[in-house]
Amino acid sequence: MAHVPFEYGLYLAAALFLIGLVGVLVRRNLIFVLASIEIMLNAAGLGFVVAGSRWGQPDGQVMFIFILSMAAAEVAVGLALALLYRRAFGSLDIDEASRMRG
Amino acid sequence: MNAANFVTSMPIVAVAVHDVVTLLPIIALIVSAVVVMLAGTFHTSHRLTVGLTLAGLFWTVAMIPIAQIRHDHQVTALLLLDDWALFFIGLLALTTAGVVLISYGYLARREEHPHDYYTLLLLATLGAAVLVASTHFASFFLGLEILSVSLYTLIAYPRLRADFIEAAVKYLVLAAATAAFLLFGMALVYAELGTMSLSALAAAHVTGGGAAETSLLVGGLALIIVGIGFKLGVVPFHMWTPDIYQGAPAPVTAFVATVSKGAMVALLLRYFRQVSLSPHGTVWLLFAVIAAASMIAGNLLALLQSNVKRLLAYSSIAHLGYILVAFLAVGRSAAVAVSFYLVAYFLTTLGAFGIVSELSGPEADADDIDDYRGLAARRPLLSATFALLLFSLAGIPLTAGFLGKFLVVATGANSRLWWLLVVLVASSTVGLYYYTRIVVAMYVQRPQDAPTTSRLLRVEAVVGSRAGGSVLVVVVGLVLFLGIYPAPLLRLLGHIVANLP
């Protein structure tokens, strides 16, 4: 099996993280913002798996499972809030949420 | 085969039995959250749910002396329940008890199904307790997320108003994104160090002054600081604070301002003590800039506010800046100063938001400064309490806030942080102005014409305010007591800090 340097894995994770971050900043639809956050979290999870494989430890994968379950909890709350948001503001555009200023 | 299994599994079981004693405060929180949740399914009364929640919190506090008995405070690689962590778990639990009491009247006026609110509050406290005790990336992250996910729901709990939903969505998006920053930073640090222990991270920073500071470690640390800075709400990660403070229901704001921020401060201080052995390093300088920017921006932006909750939000940004000044100082007295300041800040913030909750009618929170005009004539006791708490926040003598600030300045002077102290003193003078503005509104100005009163609770329609009132009485008593006779608390804190590694 060809050996892949661990840096490549981190580059991939960083690229995914940036894609997610750009999504959070650019997207205006709440659902897509939540999906972009999911990409960021999974990028961090990939980073942990890569780091774990560098040291030959299972800890990185354990952290990945933690991140996965936390992201599931977060998205469950997020989607419930999206429903309430739709009802309160009549759309999922997050720019609507700008009633408070100062 | 069976025998072999038995032999290998034996030590694990033996350790676990001992650890249960150490873990009792955390277990107590978990059990009471489950009990309150189950009780809520049986159509119990609001009053019973509150009683069970309070019993759970006091039970948690009662478990702390038992957890202290054992000398081995480390439970697996994840949690360390030494005196420091236990003190803060007790403080967090008692503060939550205060939040529960001010929530009672607030929810009774506007919510038909308030039961799950208390379950979520207990779970959020559990997250904060795990955070305070964590020694490992995994427990740090889990504690933080238990706290955050509960908070998203708590902010939007009274579903009827768009403000709450807006605040919850903003908090969710920002908190989840910064959690991703934090995790990615942890992954980078783990890739570099090969360990996820927090003290190894602090130690690596101390030894790695030059060559060992690789780009992975620096990048990872920077990302972790983004995550921590967000939770503390310090400049430049403070943008969420005013919106969440204003948008969230007043009792939940009290919780965010105290428990959620305080847990992070307590955790950070434990490890910062190891880092600050090398003053004027990169991280030290970074935190100095954050502290100065928070004090200046917090106090100046608070001047522009006409909303009391927003004003308190900016003032809390400034207070976190004051706390960071003591962080940067060296030695035992710095840790004592931070923890004393934290106690004073918890008391006053809880009291201030308690008053906002007490005044809020069913339709909206009483957060406009116009709502407070001429309040002294209608609610003299409440106004006097609020004035005292604002003076404590401003740091007027004879209050706990003054002594906290005094200790911070004293430790800063010991460590010769002159320019930070100049910023502290100058910016808190500005702070005096906007705190006094509210007091003037209550005592000097006449109430405006009738329309704003629909936001305010009528005096005769007070429901459950005895619970909130009792919290205010205790808070006022403690603020004055600690301001006049702080020796017992200082002695306790000195003892706790002396036991820190």
Side-chain angles (χ1 to χ4, degrees):
Chain A
M1 202 172 83
H3 183 68
V4 182
F6 91 99
E7 284 92 348
Y8 289 14
L10 284 187
Y11 291 146
L12 175 63
L16 274 175
F17 189 81
L18 282 179
I19 290 171
L21 182 60
V22 170
V24 171
L25 297 174
V26 171
R27 286 284 188 170
R28 298 274 59 103
N29 186 307
L30 183 56
I31 303 286
F32 280 100
V33 171
L34 289 176
S36 303
I37 288 172
E38 208 74 353
I39 295 173
M40 288 172 80
L41 288 171
N42 281 312
L46 180 62
F48 268 110
V49 172
V50 170
S53 80
R54 181 188 183 187
W55 301 104
Q57 294 168 348
D59 301 27
Q61 294 168 43
V62 173
M63 273 304 274
F64 182 69
I65 293 171
F66 276 143
I67 294 174
L68 214 60
S69 39
M70 178 283 259
E74 202 144 68
V75 97
V77 177
L79 290 177
L81 279 177
L83 281 177
L84 290 175
Y85 188 89
R86 172 75 214 248
R87 211 180 295 159
F89 293 97
S91 87
L92 283 170
D93 188 347
I94 52 170
D95 286 338
E96 300 280 331
S98 53
R99 293 151 42 99
M100 292 179 282
R101 295 236 171 238
Chain B
M1 199 63 200
N2 274 340
N5 270 342
F6 182 70
V7 170
T8 50
S9 66
M10 209 29 212
I12 301 170
V13 173
V15 169
V17 169
H18 285 293
D19 288 345
V20 165
V21 179
T22 318
L23 282 176
L24 271 176
I26 287 180
I27 293 171
L29 273 175
I30 297 172
V31 171
S32 41
V34 172
V35 167
V36 171
M37 184 178 72
L38 290 178
T41 59
F42 290 111
H43 300 285
T44 45
S45 70
H46 189 184
R47 198 172 284 229
L48 180 67
T49 310
V50 170
L52 281 174
T53 314
L54 288 177
L57 288 166
F58 288 124
W59 186 40
T60 306
V61 176
M63 288 300 127
I64 288 174
I66 301 176
Q68 264 179 324
I69 293 171
R70 292 223 326 132
H71 289 291
D72 182 20
H73 300 296
Q74 183 80 38
V75 182
T76 69
L78 296 180
L79 296 172
L80 173 67
L81 286 111
D82 57 357
D83 290 352
W84 178 259
L86 288 172
F87 171 76
F88 277 100
I89 290 174
L91 183 64
L92 297 173
L94 290 176
T95 313
T96 309
V99 173
V100 167
L101 284 171
I102 60 177
S103 307
Y104 174 61
Y106 187 89
L107 286 178
R109 291 195 283 274
R110 65 190 73 206
E111 188 70 28
E112 285 172 18
H113 304 286
H115 304 290
D116 301 322
Y117 175 91
Y118 298 100
T119 313
L120 288 165
L121 214 50
L122 284 171
L123 285 174
T125 315
L126 168 69
V130 171
L131 188 61
V132 167
S134 62
T135 55
H136 191 271
F137 284 173
S139 47
F140 180 19
F141 160 70
L142 279 179
L144 190 67
E145 286 308 317
I146 296 171
L147 176 59
S148 302
V149 175
S150 315
L151 274 178
Y152 308 150
T153 330
L154 279 175
I155 293 173
Y157 196 84
R159 283 158 300 157
L160 302 172
R161 281 183 49 215
D163 275 4
F164 296 155
I165 296 163
E166 178 181 336
V169 167
K170 277 181 180 169
Y171 192 67
L172 180 125
V173 169
L174 289 172
T178 44
F181 272 94
L182 183 80
L183 281 171
F184 201 77
M186 286 175 173
L188 292 183
V189 170
Y190 177 45
E192 181 59 33
L193 296 180
T195 166
M196 288 202 246
S197 138
L198 287 172
S199 46
L201 172 59
H205 181 77
V206 173
T207 52
E213 246 182 41
T214 61
S215 53
L216 266 184
L217 192 57
V218 171
L221 265 178
L223 290 175
I224 291 177
I225 288 174
V226 171
I228 292 172
F230 170 82
K231 208 70 201 167
L232 293 179
V234 286
V235 177
F237 317 108
H238 67 289
M239 258 73 94
W240 62 277
T241 336
D243 280 357
I244 298 332
Y245 273 48
Q246 184 190 350
V252 179
T253 312
F255 189 85
V256 173
T258 55
V259 174
S260 149
K261 288 187 177 181
M264 189 55 105
V265 170
L267 174 74
L268 203 55
L269 188 67
R270 185 201 290 274
Y271 295 100
F272 217 87
R273 281 166 52 79
Q274 300 172 20
V275 177
S276 65
L277 294 175
S278 61
H280 305 286
T282 329
V283 172
W284 192 93
L285 216 60
L286 199 62
F287 271 90
V289 171
I290 289 177
S294 305
M295 290 187 284
I296 296 170
N299 278 318
L300 287 183
L301 290 172
L303 286 177
L304 308 173
Q305 306 307 320
S306 64
N307 181 306
V308 173
K309 276 160 104 187
R310 258 186 124 74
L311 191 150
L312 288 172
Y314 283 108
S315 109
S316 87
I317 295 173
H319 279 280
L320 263 297
Y322 305 151
I323 289 178
L324 283 186
V325 172
F327 259 72
L328 298 167
V330 204
R332 292 229 161 102
S333 58
V336 174
V338 170
S339 30
F340 188 91
Y341 199 100
L342 218 49
V343 173
Y345 170 78
F346 268 40
L347 283 171
T348 41
T349 310
L350 181 67
F353 284 107
I355 285 170
V356 176
S357 331
E358 282 303 296
L359 287 171
S360 299
E363 282 94 34
D365 279 7
D367 52 7
D368 201 280
I369 200 158
D370 287 336
D371 297 341
Y372 293 81
R373 281 187 211 292
L375 189 69
R378 281 172 289 146
R379 310 279 301 262
L381 266 179
L382 209 62
S383 307
T385 310
F386 201 18
L388 176 79
L389 294 173
L390 289 170
F391 285 142
S392 176
L393 281 171
I396 305 279
L398 293 186
T399 58
F402 167 74
L403 261 165
K405 208 168 271 176
F406 175 79
L407 289 172
V408 167
V409 171
T411 51
N414 271 340
S415 306
R416 295 162 204 284
L417 309 169
W418 298 121
W419 67 273
L420 276 173
L421 288 185
V422 170
V423 174
L424 193 160
V425 173
S427 61
S428 44
T429 319
V430 176
L432 204 56
Y433 171 74
Y434 59 80
Y435 292 124
T436 325
R437 224 178 89 201
I438 304 180
V439 179
V440 169
M442 287 191 302
Y443 279 92
V444 182
Q445 291 171 349
R446 316 216 116 250
Q448 289 198 323
D449 307 330
T452 51
T453 46
S454 71
R455 301 155 59 81
L456 279 177
L457 191 65
R458 293 222 183 80
V459 183
E460 56 270 28
V462 175
V463 181
S465 78
R466 217 177 300 156
S470 63
V471 175
L472 292 178
V473 168
V474 172
V475 163
V476 166
L478 282 174
V479 164
L480 284 175
F481 178 74
L482 290 179
I484 294 163
Y485 186 54
L489 180 62
L490 284 176
R491 212 175 304 129
L492 174 70
L493 289 173
H495 176 71
I496 289 168
V497 170
N499 287 346
L500 268 179

